[in-house]
Amino acid sequence: MTNLFKTKSKPLLGVDIGSSFVKVLGLSQLSKGYKIDSYAVVHLPEGAVIDNNVQEVPIVAEALKKGVRISGSRNKMAITSVPASVVIVKDLEFSRSFTEDELEEQIKVEADQFIPYPLDEVAIDFQIRGQSATDPEINDVLLVACRQDSVQSREDSVNGAGLQCDVIDIDTYALERTFPLLSESHDLEGKTVGLIDIGASSMSLYVLEEGKVVYSREQVFGGNDLTHNLSQVADMSADEVERAKKEGSLPEDLVRGYVEPFKQTAAQQISRSLQFFYSSGTHAELDILLLSGGVSALSDLDKTVEQELGINTQVANPFSGMKLGSKVNRTKFEADSSSLLLACGLALRSFEG
């Protein structure tokens, strides 16, 4: 079975494989808090990852290899994740009398009933969560399954970069892992939190209650359109545009003509996503919105969203209490930090018991 729940043995390098960028992040634990030891963000060619699926393993592996080299990390043990959208999660109950081998066989039998793919095409793992609250002879078991090719392509990409992919996580679990840090930075205790992750080609809304994701929705919208438009009118490469956006060095006419309208569109797309959430009618209203992903680095996007939606909106920052290692350039890290939330959650897996 796939090591979705493998217990860490060494510090793990967090590897986030997105549609347009790969991100690597290394953390170490201090007596109080954490230190950022290494990080890098590397652009991917168009088509390398499509709809959350790695299409070109050698290209992604080469980008990751470049990222590890830029970061200066010597850590070879890595963790990456698959999107929740490609994962089936099921809570099951089994007798506590089963041995682990017997339980594994029983889980395969059970999985065959609700997984809509042949089992030889599926990666399956499980975690015994403990004794049932209603029956002392029963264990609660969490089953996770996804298509084998979704796992294999990411694992091959990481291994192809000269790393060892030790754990495959799920992105929602990794994001939940950042909640205690976000709570300290943004005063989230007792609040219903909307986390909006806006990447290059997609935007996801995660709603968290008591630090757990209770709702998620992904839609097609991202920063690629803005990047392509700016690249054409300014005769710049995509990498140059991304750098100029982060540095705030775009000419004022391009900011007025392209960036400001895009920020309004982003606010409208977020509003649309929230309407879907509220129409579900199953959870409380949001107390705060946190923005993450590369698009969230646009200057004053949080203010635009807050003004349009009337909700307290901030850029997610799990790093505010962390120390910076000697290999990390503060200016560059601060420009990239909003896109490193998932990589942070993955790296934090290193410090779980």
Side-chain angles (χ1 to χ4, degrees):
M1 288 193 170
T2 301
N3 286 324
L4 289 161
F5 295 116
K6 185 173 180 180
T7 302
K8 64 90 185 175
S9 55
K10 298 179 180 178
L12 300 170
L13 190 67
V15 174
D16 173 12
I17 301 174
S19 59
S20 292
F21 294 90
V22 294
K23 286 85 90 176
V24 299
L25 178 71
L27 300 177
S28 56
Q29 192 168 29
L30 307 176
S31 58
K32 291 184 178 180
Y34 302 95
K35 183 176 73 170
I36 303 156
D37 293 320
S38 58
Y39 99 98
V41 177
V42 177
H43 190 261
L44 283 172
E46 189 171 352
V49 178
I50 300 175
D51 295 334
N52 292 323
N53 294 311
V54 176
Q55 303 292 323
E56 301 289 346
V57 168
I59 292 175
V60 175
E62 190 59 36
L64 283 173
K65 187 181 295 185
K66 180 179 178 180
V68 173
R69 186 170 64 250
I70 291 171
S71 76
S73 174
R74 295 183 178 180
N75 189 1
K76 297 300 183 183
M77 305 297 289
I79 174 173
T80 191
S81 64
V82 291
S85 58
V86 304
V87 175
I88 297 170
V89 179
K90 190 84 168 175
D91 289 308
L92 301 172
E93 294 182 336
F94 291 98
S95 169
R96 299 185 70 195
S97 64
F98 286 130
T99 66
E100 187 163 341
D101 288 342
E102 291 171 337
L103 180 58
E104 186 168 322
E105 289 304 312
Q106 288 295 316
I107 283 175
K108 289 179 180 178
V109 172
E110 190 76 21
D112 197 32
Q113 300 178 35
F114 64 86
I115 295 176
Y117 312 110
L119 287 188
D120 59 359
E121 298 178 5
V122 178
I124 298 174
D125 201 5
F126 67 92
Q127 184 180 51
I128 300 173
R129 292 196 146 180
Q131 182 178 300
S132 169
T134 57
D135 187 341
E137 300 302 317
I138 296 294
N139 270 333
D140 291 328
V141 177
L142 179 68
L143 172 66
V144 176
C146 67
R147 293 290 294 267
Q148 184 68 48
D149 51 3
S150 297
V151 173
Q152 196 64 53
S153 60
R154 290 170 183 270
E155 186 173 356
D156 289 346
S157 298
V158 173
N159 292 340
L163 301 171
Q164 181 179 332
C165 188
D166 197 48
V167 181
I168 304 286
D169 208 336
I170 300 170
D171 56 5
T172 49
Y173 293 172
L175 292 173
E176 288 176 352
R177 214 171 281 126
T178 67
F179 188 83
L181 296 173
L182 293 174
S183 187
E184 290 180 12
S185 301
H186 303 281
D187 188 24
L188 304 181
E189 186 69 30
K191 294 179 180 178
T192 300
V193 180
L195 174 63
I196 298 284
D197 181 75
I198 314 177
S201 61
S202 65
M203 180 181 84
S204 296
L205 165 64
Y206 303 94
V207 177
L208 295 97
E209 294 179 348
E210 298 180 357
K212 300 297 181 185
V213 174
V214 296
Y215 175 93
S216 63
R217 183 179 184 273
E218 183 178 343
Q219 65 190 64
V220 178
F221 174 76
N224 275 344
D225 286 345
L226 176 61
T227 299
H228 290 161
N229 289 338
L230 289 172
S231 180
Q232 290 178 344
V233 299
D235 193 26
M236 300 165 67
S237 70
D239 281 342
E240 289 171 336
V241 169
E242 291 295 338
R243 193 177 307 115
K245 286 194 296 182
K246 290 176 183 177
E247 295 172 350
S249 59
L250 285 168
E252 187 59 34
D253 60 325
L254 294 184
V255 173
R256 287 195 307 269
Y258 292 91
V259 178
E260 292 301 326
F262 179 84
K263 286 159 59 177
Q264 292 293 329
T265 301
Q268 293 165 8
Q269 291 292 332
I270 292 171
S271 176
R272 178 170 175 261
S273 190
L274 293 183
Q275 288 171 15
F276 277 100
F277 165 66
Y278 287 131
S279 68
S280 68
T282 55
H283 301 283
E285 288 197 9
L286 300 183
D287 298 303
I288 185 172
L289 273 179
L290 298 181
L291 306 181
S292 69
V295 171
S296 68
L298 289 176
S299 178
D300 292 335
L301 176 61
D302 52 340
K303 294 178 181 178
T304 301
V305 173
E306 181 167 333
Q307 184 174 0
E308 290 293 319
L309 276 63
I311 301 175
N312 178 16
T313 304
Q314 302 173 26
V315 177
N317 183 11
F319 303 108
S320 61
M322 295 190 191
K323 296 185 180 297
L324 283 181
S326 58
K327 297 179 182 178
V328 180
N329 181 299
R330 179 178 294 276
T331 301
K332 289 184 177 180
F333 183 81
E334 289 177 350
D336 287 326
S337 60
S338 62
S339 68
L340 294 169
L341 187 63
L342 179 56
C344 177
L346 292 169
L348 286 171
R349 176 78 176 258
S350 303
F351 313 114
E352 292 184 341

